[in-house]
């Protein structure tokens, strides 16, 4: 339910509550006024009868004319109201009623509610006393159906007027709220852009104070988030750069020092085997074991160097290195295709290694978890890309998609799939990483890296 509908429902409920309250107050006021008038009429009739008793006692009137109800008193009665004289023996000797014109039908619920709340047929009693002697009673009561019909007629008129007023107010309030809440769409769009990672999003100024407060808080939050993200990306980039330098240095030292020592040990073992075969055959086995140990250590060293520094990037370039990587993973069960568009061989070292590691991690995940039969690796160099923040002029698109089985955990940043490291590496290079399930089957990993920004960072460093 949107805000306008919610507010309209609340306004309608408040209007209904106000209508019920106003109707109840109107009925209570009318009932109180009618009862007051009826009491005044009964008091007047009672005084007239007392005056008649005085005249009879003084000889100015005949006793057989008592009681005499003045017709003027009947004129003061409300419609549907009757007065009756009850003698001391409880017999009704005279009565006077005023008719009513209320002939309309009344809903049952209203009649029951009105009778319960006001009891319109309740009697009003006045004793006729003179000189401490009781001469009977004057009783007055309204005709309940007539009073109920009159009350319904008054309420129905109020209902019609109030309904028209409420509808008019609701329409005016709806358009007023629609105009006042129009900026809410801009706020929602800003939140959606911020959710997509567009941290440069800012909200404009608004006329309403509450919306302006939201805009100010949003802009302050977006600015702080953008600054924090930039600082985090810069820190991650420096850490990755330092890590790459340390790996490159360690790989060079291992290759130059440890590799030379292993080569010397291997040569010594070969010489030892040749000498032992001629002069001391019992040492041949020791020499062969030494050669096997040296060979095993050499293989381990090659694996370590491959993990520390991808072999062939400096010599073969990025495309050649990835072709070699694909050749290692290509098998009879999985077909891996490489598609290259644009010049991707002249990239900064950080981008080269980042792309290589990204493709390597994706192929590892496909081999271990996806059970795919076909994998597509696409590298595309673009001179300008609209989605790069700040209008970066140079970027590289990396797309790795397969037709394997999608694991729900694979779409999260689970360390099991190395996706957290991929995200951090891409973020450190100032890029964006997106995981998306393909419509047919499989997973698509899309990374967008700004080459120009990395070049400027490298020059600054």
């Amino acid at each position: 339910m949107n805000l306008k509908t919610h507010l309209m429902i609340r306004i309608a409920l408040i209007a209904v509550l106000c209508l019920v309250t106003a109707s109840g107050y109107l009925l209570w006021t009318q009932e109180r006024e009618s009862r007051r008038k009826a009491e005044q009429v009964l008091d007047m009739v009672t005084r007239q009868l007392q005056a008649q008793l005085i005249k009879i006692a003084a000889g100015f009137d005949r006793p057989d004319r008592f009681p005499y109800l003045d017709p003027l008193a009947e004129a003061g009665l409300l419609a549907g109201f009757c007065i009756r004289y009850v003698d001391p023996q409880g017999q009704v000797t005279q009565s006077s009623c005023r008719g009513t014109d209320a002939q309309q039908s009344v809903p049952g619920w209203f009649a029951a509610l009105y009778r319960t709340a006001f009891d319109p047929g309740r009697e009003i009693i006045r004793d006729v006393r003179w000189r401490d002697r009781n001469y009977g009673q004057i009783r007055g009561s309204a005709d309940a159906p007539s009073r109920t019909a009159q009350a319904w007629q008054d309420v129905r008129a109020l209902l019609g007027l109030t309904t028209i007023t409420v509808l008019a107010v609701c329409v005016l309030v709806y358009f007023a709220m629609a105009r006042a809440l129009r900026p809410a769409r801009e706020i929602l769009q800003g939140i959606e852009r911020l959710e997509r990672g567009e941290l440069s999003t800012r909200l404009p100024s608004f006329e309403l104070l509450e919306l302006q407060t939201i805009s100010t808080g949003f802009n302050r939050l977006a600015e702080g988030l953008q600054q924090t993200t930039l600082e985090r990306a810069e820190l991650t980039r420096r850490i990755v750069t330092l890590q790459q330098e340390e790996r490159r240095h360690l790989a060079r030292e291992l290759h130059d020092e440890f590799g030379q020592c292993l080569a010397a040990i291997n040569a010594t073992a070969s010489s030892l085997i040749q000498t032992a075969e001629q002069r001391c055959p019992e040492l041949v086995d020791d020499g062969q074991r030494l050669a096997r140990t040296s060979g095993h250590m050499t293989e381990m060293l090659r694996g370590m160097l491959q993990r520390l520094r991808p072999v062939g990037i400096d010599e073969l370039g990025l495309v050649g290195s990835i072709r070699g990587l694909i050749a290692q993973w290509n098998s009879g069960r999985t077909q891996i295709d490489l598609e290259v568009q644009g010049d991707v061989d002249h990239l900064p070292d950080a981008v080269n290694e980042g792309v290589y590691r990204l493709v390597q991690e994706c192929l590892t995940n496909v081999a271990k978890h996806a059970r795919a039969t076909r994998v597509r690796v696409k590298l595309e160099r673009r001179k300008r890309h609209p989605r790069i923040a700040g209008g970066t002029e140079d970027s590289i698109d990396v797309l790795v998609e397969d037709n394997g089985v999608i694991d729900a955990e694979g779409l999260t940043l689970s360390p099991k799939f190395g996706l957290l490291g991929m995200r951090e590496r891409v973020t450190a290079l100032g890029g964006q990483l997106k995981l998306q399930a393909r419509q047919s089957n499989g997973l698509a990993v899309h990374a967008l890296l700004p080459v120009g920004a990395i070049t400027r960072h490298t020059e600054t460093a």
Side-chain angles (χ1 to χ4, degrees):
M1 181 183 299
N2 57 39
L3 182 59
K4 288 189 293 185
T5 304
H6 181 73
L7 292 178
M8 290 300 300
I9 292 177
R10 288 203 169 193
I11 291 175
L13 291 177
I14 293 175
V16 171
L17 179 61
C18 292
L19 174 62
V20 172
T21 304
S23 300
Y25 179 75
L26 173 65
L27 294 177
W28 176 77
T29 303
Q30 290 181 346
E31 185 65 23
R32 185 183 63 175
E33 182 65 19
S34 63
R35 188 171 183 83
R36 185 185 64 83
K37 290 182 178 181
E39 289 177 348
Q40 289 178 351
V41 171
L42 290 182
D43 291 339
M44 182 179 65
V45 171
T46 302
R47 287 192 297 268
Q48 288 177 354
L49 293 181
Q50 290 173 346
Q52 187 179 8
L53 290 173
I54 294 174
K55 291 179 181 179
I56 293 173
F60 293 105
D61 201 350
R62 300 192 309 272
D64 59 346
R65 294 184 70 247
F66 182 84
Y68 173 72
L69 299 180
D70 192 344
L72 294 177
E74 183 180 352
L77 293 177
L78 298 176
F81 199 84
C82 296
I83 58 175
R84 298 178 299 278
Y85 171 75
V86 182
D87 61 17
Q89 290 75 32
Q91 299 295 323
V92 178
T93 60
Q94 288 193 34
S95 65
S96 177
C97 296
R98 184 177 181 184
T100 178
D101 296 332
Q103 302 295 332
Q104 61 179 349
S105 60
V106 180
W109 63 269
F110 181 82
L113 182 62
Y114 189 78
R115 284 195 300 268
T116 303
F118 301 106
D119 190 14
R122 184 178 49 180
E123 279 191 333
I124 303 174
I125 302 176
R126 293 289 186 269
D127 292 329
V128 181
R129 304 185 67 84
W130 186 65
R131 290 184 179 181
D132 297 330
R133 181 180 174 184
N134 184 16
Y135 286 90
Q137 292 179 337
I138 295 296
R139 297 182 181 182
S141 63
D143 180 53
S146 299
R147 290 294 306 140
T148 304
Q150 183 63 40
W152 171 247
Q153 184 176 357
D154 296 338
V155 169
R156 191 176 63 173
L158 178 63
L159 285 174
L161 178 62
T162 306
T163 302
I164 296 175
T165 305
V166 169
L167 290 177
V169 169
C170 287
V171 171
L172 294 177
V173 169
Y174 178 84
F175 286 107
M177 286 192 303
R179 186 177 183 277
L181 297 177
R182 192 175 302 165
R185 185 180 305 172
E186 298 183 28
I187 296 176
L188 181 59
Q189 292 175 352
I191 294 175
E192 292 175 349
R193 290 196 299 269
L194 190 64
E195 184 181 7
R196 292 196 300 265
E198 301 177 15
L199 302 182
S200 60
T201 301
R202 298 293 184 271
L203 293 179
S205 299
F206 300 115
E207 296 180 1
L208 295 180
L209 177 61
E210 292 79 4
L211 296 181
Q212 179 59 32
T213 303
I214 295 176
S215 175
T216 302
F218 178 90
N219 292 339
R220 196 160 47 236
L221 174 63
E223 184 177 355
L225 183 59
Q226 185 181 27
Q227 182 64 28
T228 302
T229 303
L230 291 177
E231 292 175 356
R232 177 171 172 267
E234 177 63 19
L235 178 60
T236 306
R237 186 190 65 81
R238 291 182 179 273
I239 292 175
V240 171
T241 301
L242 181 61
Q243 184 185 51
Q244 292 173 352
E245 291 295 332
E246 290 294 330
R247 285 180 172 182
R248 186 180 295 108
H249 176 73
L250 183 58
R252 185 167 53 249
E253 291 296 324
L254 287 176
H255 180 271
D256 294 344
E257 299 296 333
F258 197 64
Q260 295 297 328
C261 292
L262 287 178
I265 292 175
N266 190 40
T268 302
S270 299
S271 177
L272 178 61
I273 293 173
Q274 291 179 358
T275 303
E277 288 176 348
Q278 297 175 359
R279 300 181 181 182
C280 188
E282 61 273 13
L283 296 178
V284 172
D285 292 340
D286 294 334
Q288 290 177 347
R289 281 195 297 271
L290 180 60
R292 285 194 298 271
T293 302
S294 175
H296 178 66
M297 294 180 66
T298 301
E299 292 299 325
M300 289 182 60
L301 178 61
R302 289 175 181 173
M304 292 175 62
L305 292 177
Q306 177 66 22
R307 289 190 296 272
L308 290 173
R309 175 68 177 169
V311 178
I313 288 185
D314 296 332
E315 296 81 5
L316 303 177
L318 178 61
V319 176
S321 299
I322 292 181
R323 291 188 188 278
L325 180 64
I326 290 176
Q328 297 176 11
W329 288 104
N330 255 326
S331 63
R333 188 176 63 87
T334 305
Q335 176 67 33
I336 304 177
D337 299 323
L338 176 63
E339 180 182 343
V340 179
Q341 295 182 5
D343 182 14
V344 297
D345 277 328
H346 299 86
L347 300 173
D349 291 341
V351 178
N352 279 333
E353 185 163 350
V355 173
Y356 182 89
R357 294 296 186 188
L358 181 63
V359 175
Q360 183 183 44
E361 189 64 43
C362 290
L363 294 181
T364 301
N365 288 337
V366 169
K368 289 183 178 181
H369 309 291
R371 300 192 298 274
T373 59
R374 193 172 187 86
V375 181
R376 175 173 172 253
V377 180
K378 179 183 178 181
L379 306 179
E380 181 180 0
R381 179 81 174 267
R382 299 182 180 182
K383 291 302 181 182
R384 186 174 184 84
H385 201 288
R387 285 188 292 174
I388 292 294
T392 303
E393 297 180 354
D394 198 2
S395 63
I396 180 171
D397 261 339
V398 181
L399 177 64
V400 181
E401 55 183 4
D402 62 81
N403 64 347
V405 178
I406 300 179
D407 194 329
E409 190 178 358
L411 296 179
T412 64
L413 296 180
S414 172
K416 173 183 176 182
F417 291 86
L419 299 178
L420 182 59
M422 292 165 55
R423 177 82 69 182
E424 292 296 333
R425 184 180 294 276
V426 171
T427 302
L429 295 175
Q432 303 172 11
L433 180 67
K434 181 179 180 181
L435 306 179
Q436 185 176 9
R438 300 176 61 197
Q439 293 183 353
S440 56
N441 201 7
L443 180 68
V445 180
H446 183 205
L448 187 62
L449 305 176
V451 177
I454 299 300
T455 304
R456 289 193 295 272
H457 280 305
T458 305
E459 292 175 352
T460 302

